[in-house]
Amino acid sequence: MCFLHNLLLGQWEDRMSRGLFRYDVTACDTKIIPGRYGFIAQLNKGRHLKKRPTEFRVDKVLQDFDETKFNFTKVGQEEVLFRFEKSIDHNRHFFPSAPPITADSNSSSVVAINVSPIEYGHVLLIPQVLNCLPQRIDHGSFLLALHMAKEAADPFFRVGYNSLGAFATINHLHFQAYYLAAPFPVEKAPTRRIMTMKSPQDEGVIVSQLLNYPVRGLVFEGGSTVQDLSDSVASSCIFLQNNNIPFNVLITDCGRRIFLFPQCYAEKQARGEASQELLDTQVNPAVWEISGHIVLKRQEDFDDASETYAWRLLAEVSLSNKRFHQVKAYLLEAAGFQTEIEENNRDLEREPIYEQPSPEAVAHLPQDCMVFY
């Protein structure tokens, strides 16, 4: 049972007991939709009614930080759970009474509650919070997110990212994460290996393509180090954002497996081509929905949810086959992938990694704490 796991859940439950969330997410109805993939549906009316609205353009992935809009420097200190930073000696440390974050500590990264949660333990990782970075991936911030997934050491803990134009609602750099004690449908989808990055140690980062899934995407794994994997994905994300292509990222398997989804739903909306069915549901197909955890706002949608319905909703988000292959070729080249591996005759099915339920949270831990990884 990992220390970071206990710290995060203990602090999160403490904030729940103090009434800091806008609604009780544990009271939301959730069900697994019958079918091959096991899409997960949640009825969350509170998130629809009380979530903070988007305050910026949705047709530009890169936008400057605007201090007049809501940002994470405006959240209350009580919403911050702990600081999460790299240690100097490469050992793990915990400081239960770290000094508060001030303007002199503007490199501090923090973990805070998401006051409009989707699931148990829903938190935000905010890199260098007082530097007021806009919502855009860079190599350092993505490595921080990957280390958080690794340090949590729980396959039920996933980290996600939404770019602007792909349903990020705040233009202040942040990742999201939460616990869900079930496999995400995308984690069970078959894949085909398509590329590997050359490495002197012959342990290059491997890229696969999702098969038979409603949203086209890529899967990154392997590499000699955590940084190898992180840099490959970050370079791909940087290419997408520099070319104004919205995208979502899901980090799973304790940081060992990363899904990248270029998407086009905002573009479809702007052109008036979005499905009226999806518009009527008011579902925002961000990283969690694309991965198969679909947050619904209306009782009738929840009651009638089927695998066909979920597939139809998510397929609206995906790039066309032609566009996806164009984007894939460009971003893999930008990330340094050169050697193609031909495995077209077999699909690489992944075995589930979920063999035990997520551990229970332990007693609440002190506030004003800091974790070094």
Side-chain angles (χ1 to χ4, degrees), residues 159-162 166 184 248-250 261 285-292:
V159 180
Y161 177 86
N162 301 314
F184 272 47
N248 309 91
V249 179
L250 180 72
F261 304 97
V287 60
W288 309 120
E289 287 77 11
I290 288 173
S291 302

Side-chain angles (χ1 to χ4, degrees), residues 46-62:
R47 188 170 174 83
H48 170 53
L49 297 173
K50 300 179 182 179
K51 188 176 186 297
R52 186 174 288 105
T54 302
E55 296 182 298
F56 50 83
R57 295 173 58 178
V58 297
D59 61 343
K60 288 185 65 177
V61 175
L62 296 180

Side-chain angles (χ1 to χ4, degrees), residues 52 98 100 141 217 233 241 279 291 326 331 368 371 373:
R52 186 174 288 105
S141 64
V233 181
Q241 63 196 18
L279 292 172
S291 302
Q326 290 173 339
L331 70 85
D368 303 321
V371 176
Y373 64 85

Side-chain angles (χ1 to χ4, degrees), residues 63-74:
Q63 299 178 44
D64 292 336
F65 183 86
D66 185 347
E67 63 180 10
T68 66
K69 307 295 185 184
F70 176 82
N71 62 77
F72 297 117
T73 67
K74 300 179 181 182

